[in-house]
Amino acid sequence: MAAYLQWRRFVFFDRELLKEPPGLEGAGGKPFVLPPGITVCDSGRGSLVFGDILCGGKRAGPAPGQIWFLPRSLQLSGFQAYKLRVTHLYQLKQHSILVSVGEDEEGINPLVKVWNLEKRDGGNPLCTRIFPAIPGNKPTVVSCLTVHENLNFMAIGFADGSVVLTKGDITRDRHSKTQILHEGSYPVTGLAFRQSGKTTHLFVVTTENIQSYLLSVKDYSHLELDTHGCGLHCSSLSDPSQDLQFIVAGNECVYLYQPDERGPCFAFEGQKLIVHWYRGYLIIVSKERKTSPKSEFAGNEAQNSDKQVLNIYDLCNKFIAYSSIFDDVVDVLAEWGSLYVLTRDGKIHVLQEKDAQTKLEACKSMLFRKNLFEMAINLAKSHHLDSDGLSEIFRQYGDHLYNKGNHDGAIQQYIRTIGKLEPSYVIRKFLDAQRIHNLTAYLQTLHLQSLANADHTTLLLNCYTKLKDSTKLEEFIKASESEVRFDVETAIKVLRQAGYYSHAVYLAEKHAHHEWYLKIQLEDIKNYQEALHYIGKLPFDQAESNMKRYGKILMHHVPKETTELLKNLCTDYQPSGDSEGPGMLERKKANSEEFIPVFANNSRELKAFLEHMTEVQSDSPQGVYDTLLELRLQNWAHELDKQIKEKLHNEALTLLKSGRFKTVFDKALVLCQMHNFKDGVLYLYEQGKLFQQIMHYHMQNEQYKKVIEVCELYGDQEACLWEQALGYFARKEEDCKEYIAAVLKHIENKNLMPPLLVVQTLAHNSTATLSVIKDYLVSKLQKQSCQIEQDGQRVQKYREETTRIRQEIEELKASPKIFQKTKCSICTSALELPSVHFLCGHSFHQHCFESYSESDSECPTCMPENRKVMDMIRAQEQKRDLHDQFQHQLKCSNDGFSVVADFFGRGVFNKLTLITDLPSGKSAATIEAGLQRELLMHTKRST
């Protein structure tokens, strides 16, 4: 039970007397007065509705039984609804339907009339239905009336305790059914329909009890809610803000009822006369039998007589919104957003509710001054104050509690300001007070509302760590993805700094902060195996970058596993947690050469990695092969065991012979030379055709047999090797006669050096005597003697042939030529005229000659040989001035003298004259052609 005396009083309504509107002449300002005899009223559909009665005998003015309508323009209009009196009115709020109860004749004979205000009948509203209000056959007085807004129910209460229910269309007789719903011994004082969804209840209150009827079922079940009732006009139905509760006002208390139970009650003293519900307010007109104190509500005059007090209660916030004294109130109506209090003298008092801002400003100062912040908050909420205004109240309430030392309560109020009040205002207060648990609560809420920044996250995590509240810390960081309301990276940094490595690792892994995860695992936890396993689950690009960054430290602590991961990364990488089958995605491969620095100081794993790459990926980068060669050469150079050394030797040589070092020949050669890898150096010399370097290598090592072998193998490709070998042996003071003899034999066979040069070369060797070159010189002199003899014979032969040819030429010039051929030189048939004869001695049938000859001036038989000679002459003429070719051949030839002789013979050094007695300006070919032509013509004339 709420104590009425503890409720605060406010003035949330302005009171004024309703005045007449200004007339045409400007007159106005007089109080508006209704006609006399008004006893019932209601409101709705934009009008105040009044009903009057005849107050004994005839009266001047309008006839009795009038129903009056007062619109907002205050132009009063009415019509006579009954002949005697109007006792009850009910104006529906959602329909233009008015239901009235009145009397047309003396006696107990009440009539119910239903009026359609939108339709007219002779200028008056149309009465759609009339029926007597009699329960059964016993006339009785109507005590109350209510109508459902859906027009399907109407209930009439009677003084004898009975209730008549009309179900169906209440505006028509044919479509409705009337029955007695309730019978009792006590007068019915109040009725109200309650609609909740599809369920309809009817509250019935008498002077002694309260009952609830369920109208949604056929048998109309009912439930008695209480054993005390109320007087007429002392019940009402609240709005949804109070859950549509039925309000019953007794003289001591006001009770609220649900259809199935009694709700709260309020101890409001005084004899209740009228009860209404208006916009969340409970309006009670009561009668007090004591002197009213002077107050701002009661005015300045002491009220000693029986007065009626109108109180407006706010049941939610538990305060009195308005209180005032009236004389003889007929009823209180609500329309046009205001309350209208009708008094017996016909005057109407208007109660206009103040706007929300004005009410709040008027009461806040008083409430704050008296520290009634809860009431101020409830009041602000009920009047829908904006969030900024509420936040300011919460802030002041929080400051008040903070100053009183109630930090727990203060932080709760500050939490309600989140989103409006700057967080630093609150944080500074609780940092200074060292109230870490309060600050933690505030920061938690700040994060839940996604209004925290990185600094707030840092502060909250520091609070958790200082409080050592691991449970809260885990709840905070293990929120689901949709509930994360903090900066993850900041949280990881703070947790790491505070030493909560497991929590930091959890966050980093959950939110895919790979760098932070690996940094904590490797630098703080030292869990290298787990870090390596985590990298193996990452996508290719991230796995590659992290292996480049952390590969060295992982190689140092877990070399074998790191090497395996690198093998996978550089060949056919697939994350360890990836369920995609082979071929589902395009696989990526890292550049194996870029990971070689990872294996620093770990040559064994480096060798395994490089050998794996060369085996499975033949197109590995050149750096892989270079590093593998260097590694094998190092191992070979430092190995002491002969068997292992031999194996390493073969591996290095096999790698050299793989053909992968053609483009980096110099680099491979330097590596072999640095490690004194003899076979590798010689192999590379051979591949690079550096035959002189091979021989020089053997010379430096004084390997005489190898020098001879090199000359034998490569002497045909580079003849100067024999000369260099002869010079090498000639400079040796040792007894090298055997090797000198072998070299001289080859020089002699290939005719590589003149004998004089051989003698000069060997003259520098003190151990080489004449006997060493005796056989060479004798053989050489013998060959030269034979050659001279052969050349002499050839010269003699050429001279004889030249003499013969000259003689034939002279004969041709001076003597006639006799042609004695009897057969054609082409067809070998007997020669017949006409025939063709040439000076060379060949004869042809004319038709054979014309068929086979290409030129009229040349013999077809001698023509091929003649052409060869002419081609040779032309070639010599073209090559006379080929100086560059001569210089090149002279430089590259082993026998320069023969080159000079060859070009001298071609006539390079002088003009070649073939026929000395020819006329100037004619070539030999021209002369020969002319001689043959003359001979042919002569032959034709002879025949």
Side-chain angles (χ1 to χ4, degrees):
M1 180 179 293
Y4 163 73
L5 296 178
Q6 297 177 355
W7 287 26
R8 300 287 171 180
R9 294 174 178 264
F10 300 99
V11 183
F12 284 173
F13 288 81
D14 293 325
R15 173 179 174 177
E16 62 179 354
L17 190 63
L18 184 65
K19 298 180 180 180
E20 293 184 356
L24 296 178
E25 300 179 356
K30 295 181 179 181
F32 183 88
V33 180
L34 290 171
I38 299 296
T39 57
V40 293
C41 58
D42 202 354
S43 63
R45 308 298 292 177
S47 297
L48 303 181
V49 185
F50 306 100
D52 65 0
I53 61 174
L54 177 63
C55 300
K58 295 185 177 179
R59 62 174 184 179
Q66 296 276 334
I67 294 179
W68 303 91
F69 296 95
L70 182 65
R72 196 164 191 176
S73 61
L74 304 183
Q75 300 296 323
L76 186 64
S77 63
F79 69 98
Q80 187 175 12
Y82 297 91
K83 295 180 180 179
L84 293 181
R85 62 181 65 86
V86 180
T87 59
H88 296 83
L89 290 175
Y90 193 94
Q91 172 67 57
L92 277 79
K93 304 300 185 288
Q94 299 178 11
H95 302 276
S96 296
I97 300 295
L98 174 66
V99 180
S100 62
V101 178
E103 297 177 0
D104 284 337
E105 56 187 22
E106 295 292 342
I108 303 175
N109 188 21
L111 291 178
V112 178
K113 296 184 180 181
V114 180
W115 308 88
N116 188 334
L117 304 180
E118 292 181 346
K119 296 182 179 180
R120 294 289 170 176
D121 181 14
N124 297 329
L126 176 64
C127 182
T128 61
R129 183 180 181 185
I130 303 176
F131 64 94
I134 300 175
N137 297 321
K138 182 180 179 181
T140 183
V141 177
V142 174
S143 59
C144 55
L145 166 71
T146 187
V147 182
H148 199 292
E149 286 292 334
N150 63 11
L151 301 179
N152 287 325
F153 293 101
M154 179 169 60
I156 304 174
F158 295 89
D160 64 352
S162 59
V163 176
V164 174
L165 177 67
T166 301
K167 183 178 180 182
D169 188 352
I170 65 169
T171 63
R172 299 182 182 180
D173 291 325
R174 294 181 181 179
H175 298 89
S176 62
K177 180 180 179 182
T178 301
Q179 67 183 79
I180 298 176
L181 178 68
H182 173 79
E183 291 182 332
S185 305
Y186 306 104
V188 177
T189 56
L191 297 170
F193 286 107
R194 182 183 188 274
Q195 186 71 39
S196 178
K198 295 182 178 181
T199 303
T200 305
H201 287 88
L202 174 64
F203 290 101
V204 177
V205 57
T206 67
T207 57
E208 298 298 331
N209 58 34
I210 303 170
Q211 297 191 28
S212 169
Y213 283 85
L214 178 60
L215 304 183
S216 301
V217 295
K218 292 183 178 181
D219 57 352
Y220 298 152
S221 61
H222 71 282
L223 177 66
E224 185 175 17
L225 299 177
D226 216 333
T227 57
H228 59 80
C230 66
L232 285 173
H233 310 299
C234 291
S235 63
S236 181
L237 190 71
S238 68
D239 59 19
S241 66
Q242 282 290 336
D243 198 21
L244 298 174
Q245 296 185 91
F246 187 55
I247 302 170
V248 176
N251 290 336
E252 300 298 330
C253 295
V254 174
Y255 301 91
L256 278 67
Y257 296 91
Q258 294 283 356
D260 54 353
E261 63 180 353
R262 191 178 80 176
C265 66
F266 300 90
F268 299 151
E269 296 180 354
Q271 182 183 353
K272 311 301 186 300
L273 302 177
I274 300 173
V275 173
H276 285 292
W277 186 266
Y278 168 73
R279 291 187 178 183
Y281 294 113
L282 175 62
I283 303 170
I284 297 179
V285 178
S286 59
K287 186 175 181 181
E288 293 186 349
R289 293 184 176 274
K290 61 181 179 179
T291 302
S292 299
K294 296 182 180 180
S295 69
E296 56 179 326
F297 309 105
N300 296 326
E301 296 182 1
Q303 305 292 331
N304 296 322
S305 60
D306 292 342
K307 295 291 183 179
Q308 296 177 354
V309 180
L310 184 145
N311 289 318
I312 301 178
Y313 300 94
D314 187 329
L315 300 184
C316 292
N317 300 314
K318 294 182 174 54
F319 64 84
I320 301 174
Y322 183 77
S323 180
S324 184
I325 295 176
F326 293 87
D327 293 328
D328 202 2
V329 176
V330 175
D331 207 344
V332 180
L333 305 177
E335 192 67 23
W336 310 309
S338 301
L339 291 174
Y340 295 87
V341 182
L342 174 63
T343 56
R344 192 69 61 186
D345 57 5
K347 296 181 180 179
I348 300 176
H349 301 267
V350 182
L351 298 181
Q352 178 67 46
E353 187 177 9
K354 298 178 180 180
D355 62 86
Q357 190 63 34
T358 302
K359 289 190 291 184
L360 291 173
E361 291 298 330
C363 70
K364 272 199 307 184
S365 58
M366 183 189 74
L367 293 176
F368 290 174
R369 187 171 60 250
K370 296 181 179 181
N371 298 324
L372 299 175
F373 291 99
E374 288 292 345
M375 181 176 289
I377 292 170
N378 294 333
L379 180 62
K381 287 182 177 180
S382 65
H383 287 82
H384 308 290
L385 184 65
D386 59 13
S387 57
D388 292 333
L390 278 172
S391 177
E392 178 60 22
I393 298 175
F394 295 144
R395 183 194 65 78
Q396 294 187 33
Y397 192 16
D399 291 345
H400 169 70
L401 295 175
Y402 182 87
N403 293 330
K404 289 177 62 178
N406 185 0
H407 297 102
D408 293 339
I411 202 65
Q412 295 302 319
Q413 299 306 318
Y414 287 135
I415 286 174
R416 301 167 81 176
T417 67
I418 290 177
K420 298 298 180 180
L421 183 62
E422 177 61 36
S424 59
Y425 176 87
V426 180
I427 293 172
R428 282 195 301 268
K429 284 180 174 290
F430 288 88
L431 280 178
D432 297 340
Q434 297 298 308
R435 305 291 293 183
I436 300 300
H437 66 280
N438 297 130
L439 181 59
T440 303
Y442 179 81
L443 292 172
Q444 283 180 167
T445 310
L446 198 64
H447 281 81
L448 288 174
Q449 297 186 19
S450 301
L451 296 174
N453 57 27
D455 294 332
H456 299 148
T457 301
T458 302
L459 188 57
L460 177 58
L461 292 174
N462 283 328
C463 289
Y464 283 142
T465 55
K466 288 183 179 180
L467 294 173
K468 300 187 183 303
D469 192 347
S470 299
T471 303
K472 286 287 186 180
L473 180 59
E474 289 185 3
E475 289 179 2
F476 180 73
I477 66 173
K478 292 184 179 180
S480 63
E481 288 288 344
S482 60
E483 296 175 353
V484 174
R485 300 179 177 89
F486 58 88
D487 183 75
V488 176
E489 186 171 359
T490 300
I492 294 173
K493 291 179 182 178
V494 174
L495 291 171
R496 184 190 183 197
Q497 186 177 3
Y500 284 76
Y501 300 128
S502 60
H503 296 78
V505 163
Y506 172 83
L507 269 184
E509 182 176 11
K510 180 180 179 181
H511 299 282
H513 286 260
H514 309 309
E515 294 184 8
W516 281 108
Y517 180 90
L518 294 173
K519 187 177 293 186
I520 297 170
Q521 287 282 21
L522 296 174
E523 298 177 6
D524 301 318
I525 304 178
K526 310 293 184 182
N527 192 343
Y528 306 104
Q529 190 72 41
E530 187 63 29
L532 187 66
H533 178 68
Y534 184 82
I535 293 177
K537 296 189 296 183
L538 297 179
F540 173 80
D541 294 333
Q542 296 172 355
E544 181 186 25
S545 62
N546 282 295
M547 282 305 295
K548 290 178 180 178
R549 179 175 302 174
Y550 301 110
K552 288 185 179 180
I553 187 172
L554 290 171
M555 182 60 65
H556 179 71
H557 292 91
V558 281
K560 185 176 180 181
E561 293 82 356
T562 304
T563 303
E564 291 301 319
L565 179 57
L566 287 176
K567 290 178 181 179
N568 185 24
L569 193 64
C570 296
T571 52
D572 196 11
Y573 178 74
Q574 182 180 9
S576 58
D578 196 346
S579 60
E580 294 288 346
M584 295 296 290
L585 297 174
E586 182 181 355
R587 302 290 176 84
K588 294 182 179 181
K589 299 177 182 179
N591 186 350
S592 52
E593 184 177 1
E594 296 177 355
F595 292 99
I596 293 176
V598 171
F599 294 88
N601 302 321
N602 201 326
S603 58
R604 183 179 64 180
E605 298 298 336
L606 175 59
K607 182 182 178 183
F609 172 72
L610 296 176
E611 288 177 347
H612 173 79
M613 293 308 303
T614 56
E615 289 174 4
V616 302
Q617 194 173 353
S618 59
D619 59 343
S620 295
Q622 185 61 43
V624 172
Y625 288 92
D626 295 345
T627 308
L628 181 58
L629 175 62
E630 183 178 3
L631 193 60
R632 286 183 175 180
L633 291 175
Q634 286 179 356
N635 294 339
W636 172 81
H638 295 90
E639 184 59 51
L640 299 177
D641 188 281
K642 291 184 178 180
Q643 293 183 352
I644 299 177
K645 192 176 185 72
E646 180 64 23
K647 180 181 178 183
L648 295 174
H649 174 277
N650 295 334
E651 290 178 354
L653 194 59
T654 301
L655 182 61
L656 277 175
K657 293 181 178 180
S658 64
R660 294 291 307 183
F661 298 94
K662 294 180 180 179
T663 58
V664 289
F665 173 83
D666 295 338
K667 185 175 182 178
L669 182 58
V670 169
L671 288 174
C672 291
Q673 289 174 342
M674 287 174 57
H675 296 88
N676 196 24
F677 189 56
K678 172 184 173 182
D679 291 345
V681 172
L682 294 177
Y683 172 77
L684 293 173
Y685 280 159
E686 181 181 357
Q687 293 299 308
K689 299 186 182 300
L690 302 176
F691 306 128
Q692 294 187 32
Q693 279 79 353
I694 297 175
M695 190 173 67
H696 290 161
Y697 180 84
H698 293 309
M699 289 177 177
Q700 290 174 359
N701 293 281
E702 297 184 351
Q703 298 175 336
Y704 302 147
K705 290 184 179 181
K706 292 292 184 179
V707 173
I708 299 300
E709 289 178 3
V710 170
C711 291
E712 290 175 350
L713 288 173
Y714 310 116
D716 294 339
Q717 301 181 48
E718 198 164 346
C720 64
L721 293 177
W722 290 104
E723 299 176 16
Q724 294 177 11
L726 182 62
Y728 169 73
F729 289 123
R731 290 190 297 274
K732 291 293 181 179
E733 296 300 328
E734 304 173 9
D735 186 5
C736 298
K737 295 179 181 180
E738 179 184 353
Y739 303 109
I740 293 175
V743 174
L744 288 175
K745 183 178 179 181
H746 192 85
I747 291 176
E748 179 186 357
N749 293 337
K750 297 295 183 177
N751 194 23
L752 299 177
M753 294 176 66
L756 182 59
L757 185 58
V758 173
V759 174
Q760 291 176 350
T761 302
L762 292 175
H764 299 289
N765 192 319
S766 59
T767 62
T769 60
L770 187 60
S771 60
V772 177
I773 61 172
K774 176 182 177 182
D775 294 339
Y776 168 76
L777 292 176
V778 170
S779 176
K780 195 67 177 176
L781 290 173
Q782 289 177 352
K783 288 183 179 181
Q784 288 184 356
S785 297
C786 293
Q787 185 66 36
I788 291 172
E789 184 179 353
Q790 290 176 3
D791 289 344
Q793 292 176 0
R794 192 177 292 110
V795 169
Q796 183 62 34
K797 180 181 177 181
Y798 287 159
R799 283 177 179 174
E800 292 175 357
E801 187 175 354
T802 301
T803 302
R804 182 181 60 79
I805 292 174
R806 289 181 183 277
Q807 288 177 357
E808 288 181 2
I809 292 173
E810 290 297 330
E811 289 178 1
L812 289 174
K813 288 182 178 180
S815 301
K817 176 69 174 177
I818 299 173
F819 302 102
Q820 296 179 347
K821 290 283 187 177
T822 59
K823 292 184 178 182
C824 177
S825 299
I826 294 177
C827 65
T828 68
S829 300
L831 197 61
E832 297 177 353
L833 296 178
S835 60
V836 179
H837 304 276
F838 286 91
L839 294 176
C840 60
H842 296 104
S843 299
F844 309 92
H845 292 117
Q846 185 174 359
H847 61 84
C848 290
F849 174 75
E850 291 176 353
S851 300
Y852 289 94
S853 66
E854 296 181 6
S855 174
D856 293 342
S857 60
E858 294 186 61
C859 172
T861 303
C862 299
M863 184 174 62
E865 189 66 26
N866 291 338
R867 286 192 174 179
K868 289 181 181 180
V869 175
M870 295 304 294
D871 289 341
M872 292 174 62
I873 294 173
R874 281 193 292 270
Q876 288 180 354
E877 290 178 351
Q878 292 176 0
K879 295 180 179 179
R880 284 178 184 177
D881 298 327
L882 300 179
H883 176 72
D884 293 339
Q885 186 177 1
F886 167 70
Q887 291 291 342
H888 179 71
Q889 292 188 14
L890 183 62
K891 183 178 180 181
C892 296
S893 176
N894 296 325
D895 187 2
F897 182 78
S898 62
V899 176
V900 174
D902 179 55
F903 276 84
F904 186 82
R906 296 180 187 180
V908 174
F909 303 105
N910 61 345
K911 290 291 184 179
L912 178 64
T913 303
L914 298 178
I915 301 177
T916 57
D917 55 350
L918 288 178
S920 59
K922 294 185 178 181
S923 65
T926 305
I927 297 298
E928 183 179 357
L931 289 174
Q932 291 180 352
R933 193 179 295 108
E934 290 178 0
L935 179 60
L936 180 62
M937 295 301 295
H938 175 73
T939 303
K940 288 184 178 181
R941 284 195 297 269
S942 299
T943 57

